[in-house]
Amino acid sequence: MAKIVQLSAHVANLIAAGEVVERPASVMKELLENAVDAGATTVTAEIRNGGMTFLRVTDNGCGMAPEDAKTAFLRHATSKLRTAEDLAAISTMGFRGEALAAIASVSRIDVMTKPTGALSGTSLCLEAGVITEESEAGCPEGTTIIIRDLFYNTPARMKFMKSDVVEGSRIAAAVQNQALAHPEVAFRFIRDGKEVLSTPGTGKLRDAVYCVYGKDSGKMIEVNSQWEGYTVSGFVSKPTDARPSRTLQTFFVNGRPVKSRLMMAALEEAYRNRIMTGKFPACVLQLQLPAHTVDVNVHPAKTEVKFLKEKAVFDCIHYGVLAALNQTVDRPDVQFKPQAPAPVIAPVAPPKPAAPQPAAKPNPQPNFFRTMTSQEYKAFTGVVKDAPQPSITAAVATAAAVERTSALPVREEIRLPQIIPPVTAPPEPELPEEPQQQELPMPEQAPWRYVGELYRSYVIVEQGEEAFIIDKHAAHERILFDRLKENQEAITGQTLLTPIPCQLSPAACGALLSHQAMMQELGFELDTLGENTLVLRQIPMDLSEADAADTVEEIAADLLSGRREDVSTVRDEVLHTVACKAAIKAGWRTDEKELLALIEQVMAREDLKYCPHGRPICITLSKKQLEKQFKRS
Ligand code: ADP
Ligand code: MG
């Protein structure tokens, strides 16, 4: 590597001012980039305490001569950039010449470095950017930099640091990014004495992805295509393996990890109509393009980029991924749909009392009853049990027949009173006094009539001269949310016989682990199982096992987004997620009884009926409106 000189003031001014060192992970990123720039083939990163007290990077790169080692810590000292013209064609990853200076100013640093072929190396100690010790040292070729006590002299900055777990996980993510960006370099990452990542440095991206994303990545589809001189390569997940968040999307531009909405949008466009809304593809995508067509200077940490030809970038990724997806035979949709449940026909004889049946295995629909309080539940089943059984059987059988033939107009038969008898029946003797129970709706006196369901999504109810069209998922979600929210104590959890593993980004794992107490309050119990995986030992009662892993990943994404720092808002978000997952789904077959119970609640609450927050829950269609449509008035 060339000798280091200080940039001229002119060039220095071309470089936008800004902070490079935001947190330990940004320090790690800079040190790793320098190691790669120095031509290292093996790089070992080690941290203790989330990188706050100890962060070390060792490489076998070109090393630095004694004078260069000292110059390296001066502001705008770089061996990679000399003139303003160089800015337009950056082939290396670091070039600002301010990373080491910035890091040095807020920490204590030890450096040992020896240039390739030199007889001896240099050892330096710095404190707040000032060299305090300097000596000749015997050391291997390459460079070792140790950052101790980061932000020790800037308490204000220190305040913004999260727990060691969170910072450590962000560092892990930074190491992973570099490992994915440089499959030709063997990376090792040691966290609190434990090796948590090791890539082979074979130069094959597939190998690096395997080490970082885990064995599931074996199913990812290879992308490799060119478009107007731009190249996109890497791996994307199959549509059927979509994730509930974007945490496993990694993008690089010319070898540099970047965050880019444009690239994200192009990727997701390729999956349009192939994955459910709310699901996201995972990817590791490298975009190669001429250096002059991209500006990496828009952000001091160089994680954001501006493209000269946005459309070309979009098309390159979009069509590249599309081509890869079209080559695979995977047909996605089917897997997301629940299997058709057995027809709902009540046993003919002898009539059995309704008992809390767990949802049938192949049908992942959550059972509405599970979401009631135990008292409500008992009251409800008690009522059904005491009902004149034949009429229930007849009604449900008729409903099932309608379901099968879609022929006869049997609205009369599926009227509510026949299915759910009045709740005026005396409460079961063993039940404790429960005021809520008296508040249960009284269907016989209900001023409304259930008409039917449209598209397995919208329930139609008639009342007087008005029809109500209820979005069953939205309504159920809202009711569950309100109920969960009302209940200020911890949410009841169900302990799982077989713990559920969930593969997440290290940052997501960190976020969840540092919110253990909150997760517990929400009914989750989790444990670590390696850097990338958590196991769920307990999940909220209302959540189905099939949804648990996704829910946890969504919660992690919420926590990581940083928008929700306040515990009560996090709790709200989580409750929303749980409610959404536990609610009956649009497009899925829902048991008639569940629908009726749902209608009861919607119709009894003016706020649900008329003033929705956010997405509407219920809309109305008056007789007048219809008459107008049919030109009757
Ligand atoms: P930049 O990477 O933008 O040049 P830095 O402040 O990160 O600026 O590094 C300053 C200089 O120190 C680099 O240009 C490089 O010459 C030298 N340097 C830093 N880290 C290493 C390393 N691990 N091995 C060899 N040289 C290094
Ligand atoms: Mg650098």
Side-chain angles (χ1 to χ4, degrees), residues 29-35 37 77-78 80 93-100 302:
K29 170 178 169 287
E30 297 292 342
L31 296 185
L32 294 176
E33 283 183 358
N34 282 347
D37 285 352
T78 179
K80 304 165 195 170
M93 306 195 317
F95 59 91
R96 288 167 171 276
E98 57 185 20
L100 285 186
K302 297 166 282 173

Side-chain angles (χ1 to χ4, degrees), residues 1-4 30-40 57-59 61-64 68-69 71-74 76-81 92-103 113 142-145 302:
M1 201 168 282
K3 188 167 160 43
I4 301 173
E30 297 292 342
L31 296 185
L32 294 176
E33 283 183 358
N34 282 347
V36 171
D37 285 352
V57 174
T58 300
D59 69 58
C62 67
M64 289 177 270
D68 285 346
T71 315
F73 291 93
L74 298 176
H76 300 318
T78 179
S79 58
K80 304 165 195 170
L81 177 71
T92 48
M93 306 195 317
F95 59 91
R96 288 167 171 276
E98 57 185 20
L100 285 186
I103 296 166
T113 183
T143 305
T144 294
I145 298 190
K302 297 166 282 173

Side-chain angles (χ1 to χ4, degrees), residues 327-633:
Q327 271 168 16
T328 65
V329 284
D330 224 43
R331 283 285 152 256
D333 316 11
V334 275
Q335 234 158 304
F336 291 115
K337 303 238 167 74
Q339 290 174 21
V344 186
I345 302 178
V348 183
K352 265 201 272 172
Q357 295 287 339
K361 250 275 140 71
N363 178 8
Q365 279 170 276
N367 184 336
F368 183 81
F369 291 108
R370 275 205 299 154
T371 63
M372 297 183 154
T373 64
S374 55
Q375 283 86 358
E376 275 174 315
Y377 187 91
K378 278 189 201 155
F380 202 84
T381 49
V383 156
V384 173
K385 185 172 69 185
D386 293 343
Q389 292 297 327
S391 79
I392 292 182
T393 312
V396 178
T398 318
V402 173
E403 189 70 42
R404 283 194 302 273
T405 61
S406 312
L408 296 168
V410 285
R411 268 174 290 173
E412 291 309 307
E413 278 78 6
I414 54 173
R415 276 173 59 172
L416 174 82
Q418 287 169 296
I419 291 184
I420 303 179
V423 189
T424 41
E428 292 207 331
E430 77 273 16
L431 280 179
E433 267 294 294
E434 172 57 49
Q436 253 175 304
Q437 193 186 313
Q438 260 74 42
E439 282 165 30
L440 265 181
M442 316 239 173
E444 200 168 41
Q445 297 150 20
W448 49 265
R449 184 175 69 87
Y450 168 63
V451 179
E453 194 185 353
L454 269 179
Y455 319 121
R456 296 209 162 149
S457 301
Y458 308 101
V459 178
I460 305 176
V461 177
E462 178 188 350
Q463 180 172 4
E465 306 251 293
E466 234 175 350
F468 292 81
I469 303 168
I470 301 167
D471 177 330
K472 70 178 180 184
H473 170 76
H476 195 194
E477 179 187 278
R478 175 65 187 282
I479 288 165
L480 289 180
F481 175 74
D482 289 351
R483 182 178 300 154
L484 289 170
K485 205 174 145 111
E486 240 168 60
N487 179 7
Q488 279 304 318
E489 327 96 63
I491 293 168
T492 324
Q494 46 174 322
T495 304
L496 301 171
L497 284 178
T498 326
I500 301 174
C502 18
Q503 217 200 329
L504 299 158
S505 70
C509 287
L512 291 165
L513 290 172
S514 64
H515 286 83
Q516 285 269 35
M518 182 196 80
M519 292 302 285
Q520 208 133 40
E521 223 178 276
L522 296 167
F524 289 97
E525 205 186 293
L526 26 101
D527 236 331
T528 35
L529 191 89
E531 193 70 2
N532 268 358
T533 314
L534 291 179
V535 281
L536 306 179
R537 303 199 181 285
Q538 183 188 291
I539 60 175
M541 201 54 124
D542 287 321
L543 200 60
S544 83
E545 288 184 33
D547 286 329
D550 280 8
T551 306
V552 166
E553 187 167 339
E554 275 170 37
I555 294 170
D558 277 347
L559 293 172
L560 282 176
S561 73
R563 280 174 287 129
R564 310 172 220 291
E565 289 300 311
D566 165 37
V567 175
S568 76
T569 29
V570 173
R571 191 183 152 92
D572 269 14
E573 277 311 311
V574 173
L575 294 185
H576 251 130
T577 306
V578 171
C580 179
K581 292 291 182 196
I584 53 181
K585 305 275 185 292
W588 290 16
R589 162 90 192 253
T590 310
D591 193 276
E592 205 99 8
K593 282 181 290 197
E594 296 184 21
L595 283 185
L596 289 165
L598 185 65
I599 297 168
E600 286 286 0
Q601 303 192 48
V602 174
M603 298 304 283
R605 279 179 53 178
E606 300 291 289
D607 61 327
L608 293 189
K609 223 162 41 161
Y610 292 113
C611 17
H613 301 278
R615 212 148 64 84
I617 285 169
C618 177
I619 56 173
T620 55
L621 176 67
S622 67
K623 192 174 172 202
K624 274 219 167 61
Q625 280 173 297
L626 271 182
E627 283 173 346
K628 216 165 145 199
Q629 289 296 316
F630 288 107
K631 315 272 182 239
R632 278 172 169 266
S633 63

